[in-house]
Amino acid sequence: MGISDRNTEWRKQLREAVKAKERTEIERVKMPELAPEERIKSQRLEVNTGLTSEMAQREARRCMDCVNPTCMEGCPVGIDIPGFIKNIERGEFTEAAVVLKRTSALPAVCGRVCPQEKQCESKCFYLQKLKKSPVAIGYLERFAADYERESGQISIPEVAAPNGIKVAVVGSGPSGLSFAGDMAKRGYDVTVFEALHEIGGVLKYGIPEFRLPNRIVDVEIDNLKRMGVKFVTNFIVGMTESVESLKAEGFRAFYIGSGAGLPRFMNIPGENANGILSSNEYLTRVNLMGADSDDADTPVFHGKNVVVVGGGNTAMDSVRTARRLGAERAMIVYRRSEVEMPARLEEVKHAKEEGCEFITLTNPVEYLTDEQGRVKQVKVQKMELGEPDASGRRSPVAVEGSEYLIDADVVVVAVGVSPNPIVPNSVAGLEVSKKGTIVVDERTMQSNLPELYAGGDIVRGGATVILAMGDGRRAAAYMDEQFRK
């Protein structure tokens, strides 16, 4: 290499170094939001309003385009994160959505509800090496998907020629939809069976519209329909028809994504009183059945003093829903401290902004009722933190003699869910764990029955949307590999 060539290379490296430094000096974008006093007026008003094109491009410029993009290591569905972000930086917004759809069936959903701060963003170069705020990958994913939808130029991933092989999906939640999309791309004849009257599973019944509007989910589902995926509603596999009868109809393999719809309670005195609901029932009635309207066919209790027991995202969804239903005092009662809460920090922030109270290191021990059998008070006991448990969080220990009463006319219990038992109980010979989950090979998601695969909450007992989708993708890849042998 001559002197001239070395000088040219040196100048190139210098320009790249200057450009990289400029990128690191850009402040992370802040998501625009509706004001708290405005958004609590309705269940249908989405809190986060999305980035503008200018904001998105500026944030995209922060991406260092790493040679080894560690952010992708944190993505359960393997999105080409630098690829879609660099398209945004160039102003090629619809192409960014195309990149997302290569691996994700639900980009507009994931951009809203996935815990990126614990996954892709936690692996970002900024956080790992510079100790700065990571690139807002989730916000950019939402932006690209929303831009494409609102532009009317919605692309459909390439679909292989039909191979004539019928596969069935049980449940239309994120895991089942992810599996269905990947199998449709490979040319399979895919039918999704959903027990409820609406497609979307937990995306529809479990997540309020102020976090994930139904219209967003409907567009993602419509994309799958355009890819050839068929949907059958009001169909309970294991009751309407069995797996064996579906086999007789020509289905050669099954993916079980039926979720964890069985609510858990604490088994404390008074828990059967009127006005005490599981978060599953509470959110389903409001989100899917319009219980927030005055003329609802299936109304839900509207309390002035509402206690929500739990500290996860579902608890945050429930307490924020209570505020929108008119609760004057909507309270989170959680047995650990706020630091141990599994809920996303953004959800905690929004709940506080909306006037929700947090009563931590406190646990219900009894429910007291009025003469009509309706809950009127919650007896709680103060807790203190002991040694860490298996999850790594410090275990709560009761403080003797610390009980006191909290007025409550509605209590929502959000302490977890159990797997839906209908499918596991209806399939002869299927291996099931003591907790009722389907036992699978974690690499392939295949059960002990070769034709049956499973993922999401029916396997994990509780999973994020993106982890459930990752299960669906792994199952699709391995099922296709087996059919090609």
Side-chain angles (χ1 to χ4, degrees):
M1 181 183 291
I3 294 174
S4 177
D5 291 334
R6 285 197 296 269
N7 286 339
T8 299
E9 180 63 23
W10 180 82
R11 284 193 293 269
K12 179 183 177 182
Q13 292 176 2
L14 180 61
R15 285 196 300 270
E16 289 177 350
V18 171
K19 189 176 181 180
K21 187 174 187 302
E22 290 174 348
R23 289 182 186 278
T24 63
E25 292 174 350
I26 301 172
E27 291 289 329
R28 176 180 161 116
V29 70
K30 293 184 178 179
M31 174 61 74
E33 303 173 350
L34 286 180
E37 61 272 15
E38 179 66 23
R39 67 199 194 213
I40 65 169
K41 293 178 182 177
S42 171
Q43 299 287 341
R44 319 297 167 199
L45 290 173
E46 189 175 7
V47 173
N48 289 340
T49 57
L51 304 182
T52 65
S53 298
E54 293 76 13
M55 294 168 74
Q57 284 187 278
R58 180 176 173 82
E59 182 63 23
R61 281 197 293 274
R62 296 182 68 224
C63 178
M64 301 294 284
D65 197 15
C66 303
V67 175
N68 297 308
T70 51
C71 55
M72 291 181 63
E73 297 173 6
C75 179
V77 299
I79 288 172
D80 178 3
I81 294 171
F84 94 81
I85 289 179
K86 288 302 164 182
N87 274 303
I88 293 176
E89 184 179 351
R90 291 189 293 268
E92 298 170 356
F93 303 142
T94 53
E95 183 59 31
V98 171
V99 173
L100 283 166
K101 288 183 178 179
R102 289 176 189 157
T103 52
S104 176
L106 307 167
V109 170
C110 292
R112 285 168 164 82
V113 303
C114 287
Q116 291 91 3
E117 67 277 4
K118 295 180 181 178
Q119 294 172 158
C120 54
E121 292 182 11
S122 73
K123 305 289 186 179
C124 178
F125 170 84
Y126 278 88
L127 193 62
Q128 293 289 325
K129 301 296 184 182
L130 302 181
K131 308 304 178 186
K132 291 187 175 184
S133 296
V135 174
I137 299 168
Y139 293 170
L140 293 175
E141 181 179 14
R142 169 186 167 145
F143 169 80
D146 286 358
Y147 183 92
E148 184 199 45
R149 182 185 65 255
E150 291 163 10
S151 72
Q153 304 174 48
I154 299 178
S155 64
I156 301 300
E158 185 177 347
V159 175
N163 60 21
I165 300 174
K166 292 175 67 176
V167 297
V169 183
V170 181
S172 68
S175 196
L177 294 178
S178 181
F179 172 87
D182 274 19
M183 292 301 277
K185 290 177 188 176
R186 292 176 164 93
Y188 290 86
D189 182 351
V190 184
T191 301
V192 179
F193 296 96
E194 168 56 48
L196 299 176
H197 63 285
E198 286 271 0
I199 302 165
V202 70
L203 302 176
K204 282 285 187 72
Y205 71 75
I207 303 178
E209 290 207 67
F210 54 78
R211 276 216 295 142
L212 178 62
N214 286 342
R215 61 183 176 81
I216 303 296
V217 181
D218 288 337
V219 170
E220 306 276 50
I221 291 169
D222 187 60
N223 290 341
L224 291 170
K225 289 178 179 178
R226 292 169 64 190
M227 291 166 60
V229 177
K230 297 183 283 289
F231 292 90
V232 179
T233 56
N234 299 306
F235 191 107
I236 305 175
V237 173
M239 295 183 71
T240 308
E241 283 191 48
S242 66
V243 167
E244 288 303 316
S245 65
L246 290 173
K247 284 184 188 177
E249 294 173 20
F251 289 97
R252 294 177 57 187
F254 299 82
Y255 182 74
I256 311 301
S258 51
L262 197 64
R264 290 184 195 159
F265 286 92
M266 298 175 65
N267 297 317
I268 60 177
E271 203 164 40
N272 292 324
N274 290 331
I276 300 177
L277 307 88
S278 69
S279 56
N280 213 10
E281 178 183 359
Y282 189 66
L283 292 173
T284 298
R285 288 196 181 202
V286 175
N287 299 338
L288 198 61
M289 307 169 86
D292 53 318
S293 65
D294 294 332
D295 57 349
D297 292 331
T298 57
V300 72
F301 289 118
H302 291 212
K304 288 185 177 181
N305 298 307
V306 178
V307 165
V308 176
V309 183
N313 288 326
T314 301
M316 298 306 136
D317 288 342
S318 299
V319 77
R320 296 173 67 195
T321 293
R323 280 289 286 146
R324 286 161 172 79
L325 291 177
E328 296 173 4
R329 193 179 181 202
M331 297 159 274
I332 285 285
V333 171
Y334 181 56
R335 61 182 185 151
R336 290 183 168 95
S337 74
E338 188 175 319
V339 174
E340 282 79 31
M341 278 188 176
R344 296 186 70 184
L345 295 178
E346 182 179 65
E347 302 310 314
V348 173
K349 167 184 171 291
H350 285 162
K352 289 182 176 180
E353 290 173 348
E354 292 163 10
C356 302
E357 296 180 42
F358 283 67
I359 304 173
T360 56
L361 289 171
T362 303
N363 203 40
V365 293
E366 184 180 359
Y367 297 110
L368 307 180
T369 62
D370 61 19
E371 294 177 355
Q372 286 73 44
R374 171 87 181 253
V375 65
K376 67 175 183 178
Q377 288 179 317
V378 182
K379 180 184 286 188
V380 298
Q381 185 174 35
K382 291 184 179 180
M383 314 292 284
E384 59 186 12
L385 294 178
E387 296 300 315
D389 62 12
S391 71
R393 292 179 296 169
R394 294 173 64 190
S395 299
V397 179
V399 177
E400 293 297 327
S402 63
E403 295 89 347
Y404 67 98
L405 298 176
I406 298 175
D407 290 339
D409 44 14
V410 171
V411 175
V412 180
V413 181
V415 295
V417 288
S418 299
N420 190 318
I422 295 175
V423 175
N425 291 345
S426 70
V427 180
L430 179 63
E431 185 179 357
V432 178
S433 73
K434 292 180 180 179
K435 294 182 178 180
T437 57
I438 297 175
V439 177
V440 299
D441 181 320
E442 292 183 6
R443 181 179 63 87
T444 65
M445 309 311 294
Q446 187 177 37
S447 74
N448 65 308
L449 305 179
E451 74 280 10
L452 195 147
Y453 297 67
D457 288 355
I458 194 66
V459 167
R460 296 175 178 271
T464 62
V465 167
I466 196 69
L467 285 175
M469 290 175 64
D471 291 347
R473 293 208 73 214
R474 284 199 303 282
Y478 190 73
M479 185 185 290
D480 176 58
E481 182 183 314
Q482 296 307 297
F483 273 122
R484 290 179 183 276
K485 286 184 176 179

